[in-house]
Amino acid sequence: MKGVVIGLVLTHWPSLTRILRAEMLQLQQTTYVQMSKKLGKGFWWRAWHHFVPHILPQMLVGITVIFPHAILHEASITFLGFGLSAEQPAIGIILSESMQYLSSGMWWLAFFPGFVLLIVIVLFQLTAKGLRNSLEKDYSYGQITRN
């Protein structure tokens, strides 16, 4: 279990980290952050008041978007036999064990776990999309709309 978690974290975290780092570098160049620095505000004050409000929504959406990929990768690693042991409950193990029954006509043993995996992935993606849209509406109050 620890190996699967460490492997998934190491392969999925860098993409989100690059996005957050680019946003931090862009925020450091804005005039209000530069003005806060010139007025003598410390790093932790600037981080809490300027960086966290901008980075936290992106991090939440990023984690919500990355999570379905992690689920699919765990299921595929476990399906191939490299992930969790056969005694632990996992969708990849269920799919792997159901493959031997496909030739005897018991297709539902593979269909329903695969369908549940698909539904979970789609629900996470819809949640991420809704979260992103709601956060965009919250932070778009300064934009001018034209009629």
Side-chain angles (χ1 to χ4, degrees):
M1 181 70 157
K2 287 182 184 178
V4 172
V5 170
I6 290 171
L8 291 174
V9 166
L10 289 177
T11 57
H12 288 88
W13 184 250
S15 60
L16 181 59
T17 306
R18 280 183 293 175
I19 293 170
L20 295 177
R21 182 180 180 272
E23 185 67 25
M24 287 287 291
L25 292 174
Q26 186 178 11
L27 281 172
Q28 286 178 353
Q29 302 303 319
T30 58
T31 55
Y32 61 92
V33 173
Q34 293 293 322
M35 190 62 68
S36 296
K37 189 175 184 178
K38 289 179 183 177
L39 289 173
K41 300 293 184 185
F43 172 76
W44 293 110
W45 189 93
R46 284 180 284 142
W48 184 253
H49 289 90
H50 296 306
F51 299 145
V52 171
H54 289 284
I55 297 299
L56 189 62
Q58 290 183 1
M59 189 164 58
L60 289 174
V61 171
I63 289 171
T64 312
V65 168
I66 288 175
F67 200 73
H69 293 279
I71 292 172
L72 283 174
H73 288 161
E74 184 276 327
S76 62
I77 288 170
T78 306
F79 176 79
L80 294 174
F82 300 118
L84 303 174
S85 64
E87 295 83 31
Q88 293 179 321
I91 197 99
I93 293 171
I94 294 171
L95 289 171
S96 175
E97 290 176 355
S98 67
M99 288 296 123
Q100 61 187 344
Y101 298 108
L102 283 178
S103 61
S104 63
M106 295 185 217
W107 56 270
W108 59 88
L109 294 175
F111 175 76
F112 289 113
F115 188 66
V116 168
L117 179 64
L118 177 69
I119 288 173
V120 167
I121 299 303
V122 168
L123 286 176
F124 268 105
Q125 289 179 343
L126 289 174
T127 303
K129 186 176 179 181
L131 183 63
R132 184 185 68 218
N133 289 341
S134 69
L135 290 174
E136 282 178 359
K137 288 178 185 176
D138 289 345
Y139 288 105
S140 65
Y141 56 86
Q143 295 179 357
I144 298 172
T145 58
R146 295 180 186 227
N147 293 333

